[in-house]
Amino acid sequence: MIREEIGKVIEGALAGLKNELGNFSIEQISLEHPENAGHGDYSTNIAFALAKQLGKTPQEIAEAIKSKIQSLKSKIIERVEVAGGFVNFFLRREVLLEELARIAKEKDKFGAGKERKRVIIEFTDPNPFKVFHLGHLYSNTVGESLARILEATGAKVWRVNYQGDVGLHVAKAIYGMQKLKERMPGENASLSKKVGFLGECYAYGNAMYEPVDKNLLLGSPADEIDSWQKQEENEDTKRIVEINIAIYNKSDKEINSLYSKGRKWSLDYFDTIYKRLGTKFDHYYFESEVRGVGTDIVKKGLQKGVFQESQGAVIFPGEKYGLHSRVFINSQGLPTYEAKELGLAPTKYKDFKYDLSLIVTGNEITDYFRVVLAAMKELYPDLAVKTRHVTHGMVRLPEGKMSSRNKNIVVGEEFIDEVRSRVLKIMGARGSEVAEEDQYEAAEIIAVGAVKYSRLRVDREKDIIFDLEKSLSFEGDSGPYLQYTYARCKSILRKAPASVRQLADYGEAKQSNLSKEELDTLRTMYKFPEVVQEAAEKYAPSLVCNFVFELAQLYNNFYNTHSVLQADTEEQKQFRLLLTSAVAQLIHNSLYLFGIQTLEKM
């Protein structure tokens, strides 16, 4: 990458300044892109770091570095300037044109790294017997994007999905299935109807289950409480508790049958959503599979003093680690979420032998994972150091702006459907190049892109409010705006003569005189590989969003100022077609990293 080449130039200059400046040491050379393009393509504050060591002013050191670099006559640096102690570098135009040609030639491979890390990333994690809601939708969005960004660096990535197929929520749903069995859909019914029935059953069971005394939780999630500790229980609650235990023990034929039926319906339904979102998992893990492993780990940890008994349960004494205590095995000997999470870690490692394990969830369970990771560090320190909990903020909807048939729960599929309906209305109102028979499919692609980009464009850890109008804007920082810019580029290329278009495809066009708008676009395009690398290091898709939005703005500014197909000279036309082709390629590459499809026409 160009950044690395600039770093080598600075290292060479510093080596040549040892005698002049005196002895000094520097661990890392920091290079940034100045916010003001007039300050160059790269800037370093290294003179400030050396000033303290050498007893000189940053300005003096910066001038010495500038003079030395100029004497080296770098092939990539056109000139060096000093501003207030900062050393600013301007790239040669030939370098920018070479990068433009690389984009045209390497296409989808431009920006690909050679990282050889093995990464397993767990995300989405919906629970069978419950709805796939907005939280799952955005966990999938963040997880899939991170997977693609890491793959772009060269890493081997496995996508996995961990689902809670046992627990109190399942018992509630099965209780509802028993009570509402006369309304149960037949096997030939639609999957949507089957899943809708499961939702009704869970809602029924949940309504019949009494709330519990929060003082009994000891930090454990509500789904894993010791239900039997309640002083007063109604018959419905007792039956749900019995079903919960029967599921664990597989001791009741009718419950087993209902469990298998409902679990299959849910998983089949989830698969339709994953396909819609463009995600394909390499493996599915279930709580029912790891609960035994987790229970054994906690029992061994109890013998080692990592856990301790409390009120008949086994807890992790989080206070010793500056955290809070949590139940890992309840008083009936059943493992909680925490214990099963401990069982999942070595199970995943056995299957995939990863170098890094990422677990993507909403930030509302940050404290939960801090306790789990603290326990893991005591029991599996080698796995704990490989594990990262990557959180994302919550997504809320403006009051009264979008509807949901599930009261306070926004169903993921319904959410996308409503956005798609709005897209179809917009397409009808403003006109579209898309043939009428293809508009539904195009609206689906635009809707999914709008939903995904609305989350990814914002800092991963921040909460957002989904704004439907802004997310579907063709003129702002949105998925449709980027898709539209891509389609505009493709439209220009389609209209170009075949002979000229072929030259642009292979990066053979040249241009000696560049306008400000052309140069501004060029001075952004080459940054793509390093943006992807930084996004992978920081788990930050928003960095790629910032890059591609800026690029689209610069290209549209160029397009609105200059003609491509009616350029003054043939050389100019070829160059502008090459620029257009390369911009389209970078938008395509960026949107792919978000899990968003492009459209040739909009």
Side-chain angles (χ1 to χ4, degrees):
M1 287 188 285
I2 294 176
R3 177 188 290 270
E4 295 172 351
E5 294 299 316
I6 297 288
K8 292 177 181 178
V9 171
I10 298 173
E11 289 176 357
L14 291 174
L17 289 171
K18 286 282 187 179
N19 293 332
E20 180 180 337
L21 296 177
N23 289 326
F24 59 84
S25 63
I26 190 77
E27 293 183 1
Q28 186 176 2
I29 297 173
S30 175
L31 279 170
E32 303 293 338
H33 295 292
E35 292 186 9
N36 186 338
H39 293 164
D41 296 294
Y42 289 95
S43 180
T44 181
N45 63 355
I46 193 171
F48 291 88
L50 294 176
K52 296 179 180 180
Q53 297 183 45
L54 300 173
K56 298 179 182 292
T57 67
Q59 186 74 15
E60 290 175 318
I61 297 173
E63 291 290 351
I65 293 173
K66 170 187 173 181
S67 178
K68 177 58 69 174
I69 290 177
Q70 288 177 331
S71 70
L72 295 174
K73 298 182 179 180
S74 168
K75 293 182 179 180
I76 63 173
I77 298 173
E78 181 180 84
R79 70 181 189 276
V80 184
E81 294 181 356
V82 173
F86 289 90
V87 185
N88 300 327
F89 304 90
F90 294 79
L91 296 174
R92 293 186 184 275
R93 188 168 300 186
E94 293 79 8
V95 174
L96 299 177
L97 293 174
E98 287 173 3
E99 290 299 299
L100 177 64
R102 277 188 61 210
I103 296 169
K105 292 176 181 177
E106 296 180 8
K107 295 182 170 50
D108 292 348
K109 300 298 182 182
F110 181 74
K114 297 181 180 179
E115 177 71 64
R116 291 295 177 260
K117 187 176 292 185
R118 297 159 62 87
V119 182
I120 186 170
I121 178 166
E122 174 200 322
F123 59 99
T124 311
D125 298 354
N127 290 331
F129 296 90
K130 297 180 73 174
V131 299
F132 187 101
H133 57 62
L134 197 60
H136 299 131
L137 173 60
Y138 279 109
S139 173
N140 181 277
T141 295
V142 174
E144 179 64 29
S145 182
L146 289 178
R148 295 187 181 207
I149 289 171
L150 289 164
E151 285 175 332
T153 68
K156 170 62 179 177
V157 178
W158 295 286
R159 295 162 174 80
V160 301
N161 194 333
Y162 177 49
Q163 299 171 98
D165 62 337
V166 290
L168 200 55
H169 71 282
V170 179
K172 291 175 181 178
I174 290 179
Y175 179 75
M177 293 173 76
Q178 289 180 326
K179 291 293 185 179
L180 305 176
K181 59 184 178 181
E182 293 183 358
R183 296 164 56 182
M184 186 178 297
E187 286 304 316
N188 293 327
S190 68
L191 190 55
S192 177
K193 189 171 183 179
K194 293 174 181 176
V195 173
F197 174 71
L198 287 182
E200 293 177 18
C201 292
Y202 172 76
Y204 181 90
N206 193 52
M208 301 305 291
Y209 186 82
E210 287 187 347
V212 300
D213 181 0
K214 298 297 182 182
N215 294 323
L216 300 176
L217 297 183
L218 289 174
S220 184
D223 273 5
E224 298 293 346
I225 60 167
D226 292 350
S227 309
W228 39 84
Q229 291 186 23
K230 291 180 295 180
Q231 294 180 357
E232 295 183 4
E233 295 177 324
N234 62 33
E235 291 302 316
D236 299 294
T237 300
K238 290 180 180 179
R239 179 56 185 156
I240 291 171
V241 171
E242 291 171 357
I243 291 173
N244 189 32
I245 296 174
I247 292 170
Y248 272 96
N249 296 331
K250 298 182 179 180
S251 58
D252 186 293
K253 186 175 181 179
E254 180 190 1
I255 290 174
N256 290 343
S257 176
L258 292 174
Y259 173 83
S260 297
K261 184 190 295 286
R263 186 178 186 271
K264 184 179 186 306
W265 287 356
S266 290
L267 297 180
D268 288 347
Y269 177 66
F270 293 160
D271 282 342
T272 66
I273 299 177
Y274 303 145
K275 183 177 181 180
R276 192 174 185 183
L277 296 175
T279 295
K280 186 176 181 180
F281 289 100
D282 297 288
H283 195 80
Y284 295 92
Y285 288 100
F286 297 94
E287 288 186 21
S288 59
E289 298 172 345
V290 298
R291 65 188 182 190
V293 180
T295 301
D296 290 342
I297 290 173
V298 174
K299 288 180 178 178
K300 292 177 182 177
L302 180 62
Q303 295 174 356
K304 295 178 180 179
V306 175
F307 297 96
Q308 63 186 43
E309 294 184 348
S310 175
Q311 300 181 33
V314 179
I315 71 167
F316 180 77
E319 285 78 6
K320 291 171 56 176
Y321 304 86
L323 303 169
H324 62 276
S325 295
R326 294 188 76 92
V327 175
F328 276 65
I329 297 179
N330 63 32
S331 62
Q332 291 296 307
L334 299 179
T336 63
Y337 289 144
E338 292 85 344
K340 287 175 277 191
E341 197 77 50
L342 279 184
L344 179 62
T347 303
K348 288 194 294 189
Y349 188 73
K350 179 182 177 181
D351 292 337
F352 293 103
K353 297 297 187 295
Y354 53 79
D355 301 309
L356 176 66
S357 174
L358 302 181
I359 304 172
V360 179
T361 76
N363 56 20
E364 78 277 10
I365 57 173
T366 296
D367 290 341
Y368 159 82
F369 262 102
R370 285 175 179 162
V371 174
V372 170
L373 290 175
M376 190 187 300
K377 188 175 181 180
E378 294 295 324
L379 298 164
Y380 291 98
D382 54 333
L383 295 185
V385 75
K386 298 174 186 287
T387 303
R388 301 283 186 280
H389 181 214
V390 181
T391 63
H392 59 81
M394 297 293 100
V395 180
R396 301 189 305 277
L397 301 182
E399 288 293 331
K401 292 293 184 180
M402 298 186 74
S403 63
S404 172
R405 295 197 299 270
N406 287 267
K407 296 182 179 179
N408 295 325
I409 298 176
V410 180
V411 179
E413 187 179 34
E414 293 177 6
F415 179 66
I416 298 175
D417 288 346
E418 188 163 346
V419 177
R420 183 184 58 208
S421 296
R422 187 67 65 90
V423 172
L424 284 168
K425 290 179 181 179
I426 293 173
M427 293 174 73
R430 62 178 290 163
S432 173
E433 292 184 343
V434 181
E436 185 174 353
E437 62 269 21
D438 297 326
Q439 287 188 7
Y440 184 88
E441 182 180 352
E444 171 77 4
I445 292 172
I446 294 169
V448 171
V451 168
K452 288 189 174 189
Y453 190 81
S454 67
R455 168 67 272 179
L456 297 175
R457 62 176 286 272
V458 180
D459 183 283
R460 172 174 51 78
E461 296 187 359
K462 290 183 178 179
D463 292 348
I464 69 168
I465 297 177
F466 180 81
D467 188 310
L468 182 59
E469 302 304 323
K470 289 182 179 179
S471 296
L472 291 179
S473 171
F474 281 71
E475 298 178 356
D477 187 6
S478 70
Y481 172 75
L482 298 174
Q483 290 170 319
Y484 182 73
T485 303
Y486 175 85
R488 166 178 281 175
C489 292
K490 286 298 186 178
S491 176
I492 294 170
L493 293 170
R494 283 195 300 271
K495 295 174 182 177
S499 58
V500 180
R501 188 169 63 246
Q502 186 176 20
L503 288 174
D505 286 342
Y506 288 94
E508 297 179 7
K510 297 180 181 179
Q511 172 68 347
S512 54
N513 298 316
L514 296 175
S515 68
K516 178 183 182 301
E517 292 77 17
E518 290 167 326
L519 191 57
D520 287 345
T521 306
L522 281 175
R523 290 179 66 186
T524 298
M525 300 171 75
Y526 75 89
K527 301 174 185 176
F528 181 70
E530 63 184 68
V531 171
V532 173
Q533 182 63 43
E534 185 179 4
E537 293 171 355
K538 296 180 178 179
Y539 312 129
S542 62
L543 296 178
V544 185
C545 293
N546 295 340
F547 163 83
V548 70
F549 176 56
E550 180 184 6
L551 176 64
Q553 285 184 306
L554 290 170
Y555 178 79
N556 283 321
N557 185 42
F558 152 76
Y559 174 82
N560 292 328
T561 306
H562 304 282
S563 174
V564 177
L565 298 177
Q566 302 299 321
D568 295 334
T569 67
E570 195 67 17
E571 181 184 77
Q572 192 176 62
K573 182 192 295 184
Q574 290 179 5
F575 171 78
R576 290 177 178 176
L577 283 170
L578 172 58
L579 185 71
T580 299
S581 177
V583 167
Q585 186 65 59
L586 286 183
I587 293 176
H588 178 275
N589 291 3
S590 298
L591 291 180
Y592 173 80
L593 296 180
F594 309 146
I596 297 175
Q597 296 182 60
T598 52
L599 290 164
E600 297 281 322
K601 297 179 180 180
M602 284 184 71

